[in-house]
Structure formats: structure tokens, C-alpha cells
Amino acid sequence: MTLGIRENRIGHGLSRDERRTRALMLGLTVSEVVVDRVSLLDPRAPSVAVSCSVPSSLPVISVCLDHLMSRTLGDQILTPFQTLVQALVADADRVVTALSTPEIAKPFVLLPCLGCASLQVEATQEAALTLFNSMVCQNPLVVEVDLSLRETTALLDRCPSVSLCLDLGNLRTYEQEDMGWCALAPRIALCHLKHRSWGSAITRHLPEGPSALVWYQTRLSALRDHGFDGPVILETPEPVLADDLSRNVERAHLILRSAA
């Protein structure tokens, strides 16, 4: 398992080269870039603006289309969904092509936080599935869900070309202790590693001390035993301070070593 980080968590106010130097010194080798597409939520917008949070300093393993799926699917849809689908596919293709590197020619396209509220309307669910299938032919498509294990399994069964991003922090937020997630290991493309208290949606620094990290080590080890060997992307709270980043990365390395 390779340890990476969200690009905008390496540090603010640093040049691309400074972020790259810091990341490599910490043993980080890949990054996840966040793309904001806020204007897509406004049906009056004449065009959809795409902006990456920061220029990439490391090879990009995944491109997270943030602020899209949870808001667009979870709210009342005022814009015809097919219009959103067409705009998303076209823009995602351009963004991902621009972020591709010789090391990683086809990074994952990550659709974040697809939750239960998004799927309770059958028409919306069908539109989402159409979106998944239309994009996967261009780049490997990954979906991060806020669904139960049963609902996630059903979704993946209906979308055989789509992979899963398993967020370990979200499992704690939604109090999902079930180790049955390991059965999905062959469909898991990457994991997000962040610390949240049980039942909380607040991201915190990874806790201090080996015993405090056992929960994460146990799950990554079980996922590995069931076939997962993808990247693990570290997420940290903001603001990003150099000392806090170093401690978080050190603890993340400890988790991965113990899970190996």
C-alpha cells in the first residue's frame, strides 16, 4: 500500500517545488487533487467553471470532484440531470487529461460522498448510474459513499465497472463497525485515512500512541488480506501546520507498516 495525501493538505503558501520537497521528505509519493465545480449547482450559470485547489506537486493518483455529488443529488434537482451529466463528463475529461502525468497516465476520477439521501429517489439513482457508466470508459471511476454495507454492495453490483473509495473516517462517523467491508476489497481502488471520533463528522489529527491506531491498522490489514493493495490517501484537518502534518504522516506510516 502506497501512502499519499490530498494536495491541499501539504501546506498553504508554499510553491509547487516547496510542497514537492516537503512531501517527498515525509515519504509521500502520490497526491489526490480536489476539483471544485460550484457553478454547476447554479442552473443560471452560462458555463461551468472548473478550478483545481492547487497545482499538483506529486503524481496525481486521483481527482476528487468535490462539492458536486452530495449537493446536486441530495437536494431538489432544478436543472435537468442529463444536462449536469453532460457538463460533468466533458469537464472531468478535460481536467483529468490536464492532470495526467507520465507516472500515472489515467488517474482515478473520484465522485465523493454519495449518500443515502441521494439514492432514495429512484429516478435520481438511475441518473447517477448512467453518469457512472458514461464516465468509466474514459478514466477509472471511483465512488465514495455514505451508504451502509448492504446498500454499497447493491450499488457496486449494479455498476460492475465502478470501484469504491473506502473512507475509514466515514465508517467511524456513521458508526459502521462491520468488518464485512473486507469482502469488497477487490472492488476498493483506494482508501481515505482520516481520524474521526465515533459518531462525529469532525476530522481530527491521527491520535498519538500505537494503541490508539489499532482500529485503523486492523481494518487496513484485513483489507490487505482480502486483496486490497491500492493507495491510502491521508486527510488531515485544517489549518495545515508543518509540525501537525509531520506528526500525522508519521502516524499514517506506522499504520501502514503495522498493516503490512
Side-chain angles (χ1 to χ4, degrees):
M1 291 180 284
T2 300
L3 182 62
I5 192 169
R6 281 206 162 182
E7 182 75 38
N8 57 2
R9 296 300 194 267
I10 299 176
H12 296 305
L14 302 177
S15 69
R16 178 183 180 277
D17 289 341
E18 288 171 332
R19 289 199 314 276
R20 177 176 175 81
T21 298
R22 175 180 290 183
L24 293 177
M25 287 181 62
L26 293 172
L28 302 166
T29 56
V30 295
S31 69
E32 178 175 280
V33 169
V34 176
V35 177
D36 295 333
R37 309 185 70 256
V38 179
S39 67
L40 181 62
L41 307 179
D42 184 358
R44 298 166 299 177
S47 62
V48 178
V50 178
S51 61
C52 298
S53 54
V54 287
S56 171
S57 63
L58 294 171
V60 177
I61 193 68
S62 57
V63 179
C64 180
L65 303 183
D66 217 349
H67 306 306
L68 170 70
M69 295 304 290
S70 58
R71 296 186 190 180
T72 304
L73 291 178
D75 299 337
Q76 294 291 326
I77 299 176
L78 302 179
T79 303
F81 199 89
Q82 188 60 35
T83 302
L84 302 182
V85 170
Q86 292 170 350
L88 173 61
V89 171
D91 284 345
D93 183 56
R94 287 195 293 270
V95 171
V96 173
T97 299
L99 290 170
S100 298
T101 64
E103 299 93 340
I104 304 173
K106 284 189 172 293
F108 298 118
V109 173
L110 173 59
L111 303 180
C113 298
L114 183 59
C116 295
S118 306
L119 294 177
Q120 61 190 8
V121 180
E122 183 176 351
T124 303
Q125 184 177 21
E126 292 304 319
L129 297 178
T130 300
L131 167 60
F132 296 161
N133 290 327
S134 69
M135 288 183 62
V136 75
C137 62
Q138 301 176 44
N139 279 82
L141 187 69
V142 180
V143 59
E144 178 183 342
V145 300
D146 296 341
L147 302 170
S148 68
L149 174 60
R150 179 185 60 79
E151 292 166 322
T152 301
T153 302
L155 181 65
L156 293 178
D157 286 344
R158 297 182 65 183
C159 300
S161 299
V162 175
S163 298
L164 177 67
C165 170
L166 185 62
D167 191 307
L168 299 179
N170 287 353
L171 292 186
R172 295 175 65 87
T173 296
Y174 297 101
E175 301 181 348
Q176 298 193 30
E177 189 70 34
D178 192 346
M179 291 292 285
W181 289 94
C182 295
L184 297 180
R187 298 290 301 276
I188 297 175
L190 69 156
C191 284
H192 280 173
L193 174 60
K194 64 173 177 265
H195 176 56
R196 288 182 173 177
S197 299
W198 201 250
S200 170
I202 299 174
T203 300
R204 303 182 182 280
H205 298 295
L206 288 172
E208 183 178 3
S211 61
L213 303 176
V214 168
W215 191 91
Y216 298 97
Q217 294 165 347
T218 301
R219 275 143 190 82
L220 281 176
S221 180
L223 288 170
R224 180 213 59 196
D225 291 344
H226 284 76
F228 171 71
D229 191 31
V232 177
I233 303 297
L234 175 64
E235 293 188 56
T236 66
E238 293 192 275
V240 183
L241 304 177
D243 289 345
D244 289 334
L245 177 64
S246 297
R247 284 190 288 268
N248 275 279
V249 172
E250 180 182 352
R251 293 164 190 172
H253 279 304
L254 177 59
I255 291 172
L256 265 62
R257 286 196 299 270
S258 300

